[in-house]
Amino acid sequence: RQYPRHGYTSILDLGCGSGDAVAYMHRKFYGIKAMGIDLSEGMLEEARKKNVQVKRMDIEDLKFAPEYFDGIWSMCSLVHIEKENMLDVLSSLHKILKSDGRLFVCLKLRSEIFLRERLGGLVCVSDNDGVPTTTPPWFLNEDNRYFYYWEEQEFLDVIKPLFTVVKSSEINRANKDTVA
């Protein structure tokens, strides 16, 4: 409701994948100038078919000027960042976000039930020996993407030194009555 604030509002979709959110923002909100970044060239090819602005860029090596964006949208893209690197990534996001900007972050919570019921192809492994474990990191066999799961308070402890948290909530996607 607060956007656009000044002629247009610039939004970064962090890890935009196939560009659906970028396309949606352009289509639904007058004055939004959205762009996406992703590391996967295949995903970016799909996004370009939607005629949206995207760039190939690593979330851990952002190439934007300070205070460039009014908002940053991160829908489950930060799950691929190692926990020990998260503070550095959040610091980079803070740097490229305008002082009155907004950051939206959605993460997957750590849950054994979630692992068994929702991610059938997910395999838990330990460091290099291939022995199954219940501790992170986990990766998908087909593309070796790492997933780091967070407890809500654990992530809040990392983000609060840089950002004012307006709202934090857990959404149970298995409940069809829940609106995200």
Side-chain angles (χ1 to χ4, degrees):
R1 294 179 194 159
Q2 300 174 14
Y3 294 101
R5 292 193 252 179
H6 42 72
Y8 74 88
T9 296
S10 59
I11 306 288
L12 174 64
D13 184 356
L14 198 65
C16 66
S18 63
D20 291 337
V22 176
Y24 179 83
M25 287 181 220
H26 280 291
R27 200 172 53 248
K28 292 289 185 181
F29 302 106
Y30 174 78
I32 296 288
K33 182 181 175 185
M35 72 165 301
I37 63 164
D38 204 286
L39 199 53
S40 167
E41 192 57 48
M43 287 281 108
L44 293 172
E45 286 177 25
E46 290 301 313
R48 289 182 186 109
K49 292 177 186 176
K50 296 174 177 76
N51 199 28
V52 295
Q53 183 183 4
V54 293
K55 291 183 179 182
R56 186 171 192 275
M57 193 177 298
D58 189 334
I59 292 171
E60 295 188 71
D61 188 25
L62 298 172
K63 305 286 187 194
F64 296 104
E67 297 197 22
Y68 190 84
F69 293 101
D70 295 294
I72 299 174
W73 173 264
S74 174
M75 180 57 78
C76 295
S77 57
L78 294 179
V79 299
H80 304 296
I81 305 301
E82 293 183 47
K83 288 187 176 188
E84 55 267 17
N85 296 341
M86 185 60 76
L87 185 58
D88 289 340
V89 169
L90 291 171
S91 294
S92 294
L93 297 178
H94 188 268
K95 181 179 177 182
I96 65 172
L97 194 61
K98 292 181 180 173
S99 61
D100 61 346
R102 301 288 187 268
L103 170 66
F104 172 86
V105 175
C106 179
L107 295 170
K108 295 179 180 179
L109 294 178
R110 182 173 31 224
S111 165
E112 290 303 315
I113 294 170
F114 180 83
L115 292 174
R116 285 194 303 272
E117 294 179 1
R118 298 276 175 217
L119 299 175
L122 195 65
V123 176
C124 301
V125 299
S126 62
D127 292 333
N128 287 314
D129 61 9
V131 175
T133 181
T134 57
T135 59
W138 294 289
F139 71 89
L140 289 174
N141 275 338
E142 61 269 13
D143 59 6
N144 288 333
R145 289 187 308 150
Y146 285 92
F147 289 84
Y148 295 87
Y149 294 87
W150 294 80
E151 296 294 337
E152 185 175 2
Q153 189 57 52
E154 176 187 24
F155 187 75
L156 289 173
D157 290 345
V158 175
I159 199 168
K160 280 184 176 181
L162 294 166
F163 295 93
T164 300
V165 177
V166 175
K167 182 178 180 182
S168 172
S169 62
E170 183 177 336
I171 298 172
N172 181 354
R173 294 181 67 188
N175 181 347
K176 294 179 182 177
D177 297 328
T178 301
V179 177

